[in-house]
């Protein structure tokens, strides 16, 4: 009873679900390869000045600096996405070209095989014609 329980599909599925493999699957490999940005210098950088105008100016400057950083990060992201799109496009084109070459080769081989069959058929027809002529000559 114990050995049959261990060979059951449910038991094997449970073992797989509790697997402790460190190799990332294709679904979560990005968790291991992702490069995080540096911690923001804005976090914890606020020292409240005593003058409200000075505080307002400092806050406005912090906002401008933060907006600049975000703008740069967005530009970087757009470049990365564009590079990934171009790479995917290149791979798709290469795959399509490989398929086209395979199809051409297959068609060429098919045409050659048809030619060989046609030649074989002509030879057989000629042999049959010769045989008929011999039979006719022999009867006559």
């Amino acid at each position: 009873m114990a050995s049959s329980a261990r060979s059951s599909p449910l038991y094997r599925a449970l073992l797989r679900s509790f697997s402790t493999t460190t190799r990332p699957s294709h679904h979560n490999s990005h968790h291991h390869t992702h490069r995080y940005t540096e911690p923001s210098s804005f976090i914890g950088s606020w020292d409240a000045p005593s003058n409200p105008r000075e505080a307002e100016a400092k806050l406005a400057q912090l906002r401008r600096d933060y907006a600049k950083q975000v703008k740069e990060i967005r530009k970087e992201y757009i470049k990365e996405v564009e590079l990934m799109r171009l790479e995917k496009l290149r791979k798709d084109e290469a795959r399509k070209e490989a398929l086209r070459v395979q199809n051409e080769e297959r068609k060429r081989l098919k045409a050659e095989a048809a030619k060989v069959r046609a030649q074989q058929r002509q030879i057989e027809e000629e042999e049959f014609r010769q045989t008929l002529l011999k039979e006719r000559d022999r009867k006559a």
Side-chain angles (χ1 to χ4, degrees):
M1 180 71 184
S3 65
S4 66
R6 285 191 178 144
S7 64
S8 74
L10 181 61
Y11 180 78
R12 281 180 284 179
L14 279 173
L15 277 180
R16 271 195 305 274
S17 69
F18 293 125
S19 174
T20 57
T21 181
T22 57
R23 192 172 60 82
S25 75
H26 65 284
H27 294 292
N28 65 359
S29 65
H30 60 277
H31 291 299
H32 302 288
T33 59
H34 182 73
R35 185 179 54 88
Y36 292 96
T37 56
E38 296 299 318
S40 177
S41 60
F42 297 106
I43 297 174
S45 68
W46 180 256
D47 297 329
S50 56
N51 184 353
R53 279 194 175 163
E54 189 181 320
E56 197 173 311
K58 192 174 177 185
L59 184 59
Q61 184 61 42
L62 274 174
R63 285 182 176 143
R64 281 193 297 276
D65 290 344
Y66 182 73
K68 282 181 189 175
Q69 278 190 2
V70 168
K71 187 177 178 182
E72 286 301 313
I73 289 173
R74 284 187 177 139
K75 279 183 189 176
E76 222 176 277
Y77 174 75
I78 288 169
K79 284 179 188 174
E80 286 178 16
V81 168
E82 182 64 17
L83 286 174
M84 286 175 12
R85 187 186 69 79
L86 290 173
E87 180 68 17
K88 184 180 184 305
L89 196 63
R90 186 189 62 75
K91 284 181 181 177
D92 286 349
E93 289 296 322
R95 184 179 51 80
K96 284 179 186 176
E97 180 63 20
L99 285 174
R100 186 188 64 76
V101 168
Q102 279 180 348
N103 284 340
E104 283 180 1
E105 180 68 15
R106 190 170 48 244
K107 285 179 183 177
R108 187 184 62 76
L109 291 173
K110 193 175 177 182
E112 282 181 15
K115 255 187 212 177
V116 168
R117 284 194 308 269
Q119 287 174 349
Q120 188 69 32
R121 191 172 49 250
Q122 281 180 341
I123 292 170
E124 288 172 1
E125 285 175 1
E126 186 60 35
E127 287 175 358
F128 183 66
R129 219 176 283 122
Q130 292 299 326
T131 307
L132 283 178
L133 286 175
K134 284 180 187 175
E135 285 291 323
R136 233 185 259 161
D137 288 344
R138 202 168 30 121
K139 284 184 180 178

